[in-house]
């Protein structure tokens, strides 16, 4: 009987496909340039109806967010952005002024993050709007050489609140239903920070240069877009070490727990599995703890690496350890 994707798991399915080829799985495409620096390419496709809903998503914000979604992968690799390639699939329902709004958001973000060139192509689409973006960046030679191997007790740090984007999406979806049923515009003022985290995420465009200036070189970096659980699974797979994250150390947006009660949703679950946070996760040598806290105050230390036998676990305030599970990953069997 043929196996389904749900039985195999997305990550394991990708690995099995690689086994049929002469290539090895990688997190983003990268190679060493002739000058010794490391070149990284990140790509992503955004599909209307799956990744965004134009009922409540302003086109300018959408363009901006899509650029952030690929540039974050470069920053996770400590790569400075260089080139951005954009393909827009445009359906007949969108007119040229709307595409101009979308393009304005793309170019504002591209300029903010220092892309040297942006290429654009337009294609027809029968199934709504889609955006395909590919970003290329370069890691400096010295930065690449100074990244040390990860060790047990090294710190796991994230660049801001988690779960906020997923909760913000729930606010928008609830508002859309309310508008459809009652014809009234919902008041979202109370949750504007959560809504903003979903519609227009922001990243520090100077993060790579700041790390280089302070001589702090993370051994691993990940862009958290599919939940913290997925990033942690990738970290332990790539490092061969275990990881412990503490639930009471995870940063949350101010109204997360209030909204969680309204929606009967656990903000911790939203942080672990909600996705779309667009946050950076770095593994920082424990010897740099004080300097990192002083120089990067927007980051939170949420856990640390551990010996491989520790596994990948979430630790409750009571000290109970729960194995981390992530969508797309096949659960390990004893």
């Amino acid at each position: 009987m043929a196996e389904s994707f749900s039985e195999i798991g997305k990550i394991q399915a990708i690995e099995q496909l690689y086994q049929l080829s002469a290539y090895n799985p990688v997190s983003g495409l990268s190679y060493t340039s002739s000058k010794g620096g490391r070149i990284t390419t990140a790509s992503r496709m955004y599909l209307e109806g799956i990744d965004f809903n134009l009922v409540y998503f302003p086109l300018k914000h959408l363009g901006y967010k899509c650029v952030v979604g690929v540039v974050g992968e470069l920053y996770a690799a400590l790569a400075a952005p260089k080139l951005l390639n954009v393909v827009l699939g445009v359906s007949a329902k969108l007119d040229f002024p709307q595409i101009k709004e979308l393009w304005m958001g793309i170019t504002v973000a591209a300029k903010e993050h220092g892309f040297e060139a942006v290429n654009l192509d337009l294609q027809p689409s029968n199934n709504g709007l889609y955006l395909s973006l590919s970003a290329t960046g370069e890691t400096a030679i010295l930065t690449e050489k100074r990244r040390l191997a990860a060790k047990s007790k090294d710190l796991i740090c994230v660049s801001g609140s988690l779960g906020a984007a997923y909760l913000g999406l729930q606010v928008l979806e609830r508002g859309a239903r309310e508008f459809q049923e009652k014809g009234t515009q919902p008041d979202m003022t109370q949750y504007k920070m959560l809504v903003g985290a979903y519609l227009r995420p922001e990243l520090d465009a100077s993060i790579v240069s700041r790390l280089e200036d302070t001589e702090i070189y993370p051994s691993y970096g990940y862009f958290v877009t599919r939940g913290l659980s997925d990033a942690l699974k990738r970290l332990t797979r790539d490092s061969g070490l275990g990881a412990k994250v503490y639930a009471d150390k995870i940063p949350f947006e101010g109204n997360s727990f209030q909204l969680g009660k309204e929606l009967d949703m656990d903000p911790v679950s939203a942080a672990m599995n909600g996705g779309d946070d667009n946050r950076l996760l770095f593994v920082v040598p424990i010897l740099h703890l004080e300097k990192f806290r002083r120089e990067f105050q927007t980051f939170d230390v949420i856990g640390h690496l551990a010996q491989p036998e520790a596994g990948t676990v979430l630790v409750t305030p009571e000290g109970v350890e729960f194995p981390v599970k992530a969508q797309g990953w096949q659960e390990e069997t004893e």
Side-chain angles (χ1 to χ4, degrees), residues 53-101:
N53 187 339
L54 291 181
V55 170
Y56 50 72
F57 215 131
L59 286 165
K60 188 174 181 179
H61 285 357
L62 176 61
Y64 186 97
K65 178 177 179 176
C66 290
V67 174
V68 170
V70 290
V71 77
E73 298 288 356
L74 301 184
Y75 292 155
L78 303 186
K82 299 295 182 182
L83 307 174
L84 178 65
N85 189 66
V86 180
V87 179
L88 302 180
V90 183
S91 67
K93 71 177 182 179
L94 293 173
D95 56 28
F96 186 60
Q98 290 174 305
I99 296 303
K100 286 199 292 186
E101 280 291 304

Side-chain angles (χ1 to χ4, degrees), residues 125-200:
S125 169
N126 291 326
N127 300 305
L129 175 67
Y130 73 81
L131 302 89
S132 177
L133 296 92
S134 178
T136 302
E138 184 172 10
T139 305
I141 300 173
L142 287 179
T143 299
E144 184 67 20
K145 288 182 176 180
R146 291 174 178 175
R147 300 183 79 171
L148 301 177
K151 298 179 180 179
S152 178
K153 301 300 182 183
D154 280 351
L155 309 171
I156 299 173
C157 311
V158 293
S159 63
S161 59
L162 298 173
Y166 183 76
L167 292 171
L169 173 60
Q170 306 314 306
V171 172
L172 290 165
E173 290 285 354
R174 184 176 65 177
R177 290 193 298 270
E178 182 179 326
F179 181 77
Q180 187 176 27
E181 294 170 1
K182 303 178 181 178
T184 58
Q185 193 70 34
D187 182 10
M188 301 183 186
T189 307
Q190 186 177 8
Y191 298 119
K192 64 179 181 180
M193 297 298 289
L194 296 173
V195 171
Y198 174 74
L199 291 179
R200 198 180 187 280

Side-chain angles (χ1 to χ4, degrees), residues 12-25:
Q12 281 70 25
I14 292 173
E15 290 176 348
Q16 287 187 32
L17 291 172
Y18 267 108
Q19 289 171 6
L20 301 175
S21 72
Y23 297 97
N24 294 316

Side-chain angles (χ1 to χ4, degrees), residues 46 55 84 133 135 138 186-187 226 231 251 258 272 284 307 311 313 323:
Y46 294 84
V55 170
L84 178 65
L133 296 92
E138 184 172 10
D187 182 10
R226 293 185 291 272
Q258 179 179 335
M272 297 301 291
V284 177
Q307 295 299 324
V313 297

Side-chain angles (χ1 to χ4, degrees), residues 40-42 64 67-82 109-115 135-139 143 147 159 202-212 218 220-224 278-282 299:
T40 298
T41 298
Y64 186 97
V67 174
V68 170
V70 290
V71 77
E73 298 288 356
L74 301 184
Y75 292 155
L78 303 186
K82 299 295 182 182
K111 184 175 181 180
E112 181 178 310
H113 290 282
F115 282 99
T136 302
E138 184 172 10
T139 305
T143 299
R147 300 183 79 171
S159 63
E202 296 186 353
L203 283 175
D204 178 6
S206 66
I207 183 63
V208 174
S209 61
R210 289 176 61 208
L211 286 166
E212 291 173 341
Y220 286 95
Y222 297 90
F223 194 41
V224 184
N278 290 277
R279 300 296 190 187
L280 290 165
L281 180 151
F282 286 130
F299 278 76

Side-chain angles (χ1 to χ4, degrees), residues 207-235:
I207 183 63
V208 174
S209 61
R210 289 176 61 208
L211 286 166
E212 291 173 341
D213 290 343
T214 55
E215 297 185 338
I216 297 175
Y217 303 99
S219 55
Y220 286 95
Y222 297 90
F223 194 41
V224 184
T225 59
R226 293 185 291 272
L228 178 60
S229 293
D230 176 80
L232 293 173
K233 287 283 211 178
R234 292 177 186 275
L235 169 59

